[in-house]
Every structure is written in structure tokens, then in C-alpha cells.
Amino acid sequence: AQTIHQWPVAEIKAVGSPLSLGCTIKGKSSPNLYWYWQATGGTLQQLFYSITVGQVESVVQLNLSASRPKDDQFILSTEKLLLSHSGFYLCAWSHREISNERLFFGHGTKLSVL
Amino acid sequence: AQKVTQTQTSISVVEKTTVTMDCVYETRDSSYFLFWYKQTASGEIVFLIRQDSYKKENATVGHYSLNFQKPKSSIGLIITATQIEDSAVYFCAMREVGAGNTGKLIFGLGTTLQVQP
């Protein structure tokens, strides 16, 4: 069975500090990977997607970057946090090339920027 | 432009009754997929049910079913025999076939369901 693990569970960071969030997918080779962001009480918005190692596409510009250093790992980062980065970050995966396939979400990381 | 609208901010029902949540969508694609997810209090997002635009039959999974009205661009979620554990935020989402590998889901704002004993 496939599992998705996100870390950390929660972070409290200062404005201007760096950030690194990660997720790992086990039990599934070559998944499509995604980062979503949810403002408190808000909807989910896709930030990045990746279909293969080393290839990441940005969907919205939020002064964040993402990388996929390994087939099963997806990293979200920034060098300087903004207050607007606060929210809930969700990593997700799906089977490749199955357009009607559901997304499998991780448990998320709650980020508070102070 | 792609858009998903959930007009009901919150709904409260009594346990064991049936609830319907509304969702309308906008798309230029002739083929698309519609999903319902729920977000529990812990933040976990759980897939519930999917409707493919080319299918006329309404999807049903367990006590979840859909009311797909394509001419009205509407995809309502029906939960029968509600349970306390169904209390959550329910999101309607759409993916266009044209989205390809982006996997991009357009989510609505969500409807909070509270099931009372």
C-alpha cells in the first residue's frame, strides 16, 4: 500500500526566515506530485506539480519554490517567509497519466508566520 | 475560465437524515472530472466520490451519491443516513481533461457540515 508522509506537522516561523517542508511517498514508483496551499478557513490552491525527478512546474507565484530531488520526495521552500505564507500546506500524489484519478493527500503542515 | 462555486457556507442536520450539498462549475472543456473531498477537523483531506462528465449515470459510493445535472453545470453531493462522523468541510473540485499532467484541481470554497445527535 502507498503511504504519504509530510514533515513537519507544524511550524512557527518568523517573517524573513527560511522554510523547508517535505513529503515522501512510499510504495508508488514515478507518481505525479503536487503542493497545495490552504489559507485558514479557505479553499485549496495548487502551487506546484511534478511529473518526474528534477522537473517541477509552478502554478502560482507566491515567492515559494519546489524541488523533486528523488522520485519519492517533494520539497517546498523559501529563503524569506512572508506573513502571507501562513496557512496549511498539503502534499499530494496521483497515478501518472490517469487524468480522472483522485489525488491522495498527505496530512498537511500547518505554518504560522509571525 | 474554470470556476467551482459552493454557495452553502454551512449546513446543520440531525443524525440519520439526508443532506444535499450544492456545487456549480464553469469550464470550457467538453471533458472534465468532478470530485468531492472532505476535510476532517484534523485537516486530513479524504476523497469521497467522482463523476466523469461523459457518464450519464450518477455515481454512488456507500452512503454518498451525486446528482449530476450537466445542462446546469451542477454536481450536488447527497449523503444519506448521516452520522456524527460525517461532520466536516466538504469540497467540490473539478479537473479538466485539458489539464493533462498538471493534475490541477479547481476547488470550491467548501461547505461545513455539522451533524447533530
Side-chain angles (χ1 to χ4, degrees):
Chain A
Q2 303 91 356
T3 60
I4 178 170
H5 173 62
Q6 268 190 257
W7 72 90
V9 172
E11 279 267 45
I12 299 175
K13 304 279 281 185
V15 170
S17 63
L19 174 76
S20 182
L21 307 179
C23 79
T24 300
I25 292 84
K26 295 300 182 187
K28 173 65 185 161
S29 62
S30 305
N32 283 2
L33 297 177
Y34 314 91
W35 278 111
Y36 277 79
W37 174 74
Q38 183 182 31
T40 302
T43 189
L44 289 93
Q45 183 175 27
Q46 189 184 44
L47 301 177
F48 299 92
Y49 70 92
S50 170
I51 64 171
T52 192
V53 175
Q55 186 175 333
V56 177
E57 301 295 332
S58 172
V59 178
V60 294
Q61 292 298 326
L62 285 180
N63 293 308
L64 295 167
S65 59
S67 64
R68 187 171 177 175
K70 301 178 184 178
D71 185 54
D72 63 354
Q73 194 174 73
F74 208 18
I75 307 295
L76 183 71
S77 61
T78 183
E79 292 188 1
K80 277 190 174 182
L81 278 166
L82 307 172
L83 284 173
S84 58
H85 286 139
S86 292
F88 197 51
Y89 290 84
L90 291 138
C91 181
W93 72 270
S94 71
H95 295 283
R96 186 170 295 177
E97 297 174 359
I98 304 178
S99 57
N100 67 351
E101 183 57 63
R102 55 178 280 199
L103 294 189
F104 297 82
F105 286 90
H107 284 79
T109 296
K110 183 174 181 180
L111 175 65
S112 299
V113 182
L114 307 175
Chain B
Q2 319 131 338
K3 189 176 180 181
V4 174
T5 303
Q6 295 178 253
T7 55
Q8 300 155 305
T9 305
S10 65
I11 302 174
S12 182
V13 300
V14 175
E15 194 177 14
K16 300 178 185 174
T17 60
T18 296
V19 64
T20 298
M21 283 178 257
D22 301 329
C23 175
V24 293
Y25 56 90
E26 295 176 29
T27 178
R28 292 179 184 169
D29 255 12
S30 57
S31 292
Y32 48 90
F33 309 104
L34 301 163
F35 303 81
W36 280 90
Y37 288 83
K38 83 173 189 181
Q39 187 170 33
T40 64
S42 67
E44 183 182 12
I45 296 182
V46 179
F47 166 76
L48 298 177
I49 192 168
R50 184 190 82 229
Q51 179 78 39
D52 299 344
S53 64
Y54 55 85
K55 291 187 177 178
K56 293 184 178 179
E57 305 79 26
N58 289 321
T60 297
V61 176
H63 74 145
Y64 302 107
S65 61
L66 297 177
N67 179 16
F68 181 40
Q69 299 183 56
K70 195 170 182 179
K72 295 183 179 180
S73 297
S74 170
I75 184 73
L77 173 68
I78 303 165
I79 307 176
T80 57
T82 51
Q83 303 162 19
I84 302 293
E85 310 85 78
D86 292 324
S87 298
V89 180
Y90 288 78
F91 288 99
C92 177
M94 173 181 67
R95 181 187 304 138
E96 297 171 331
V97 169
N101 268 323
T102 71
K104 187 173 182 180
L105 280 176
I106 307 297
F107 282 86
L109 293 178
T111 296
T112 300
L113 174 66
Q114 189 167 23
V115 181
Q116 312 265 15

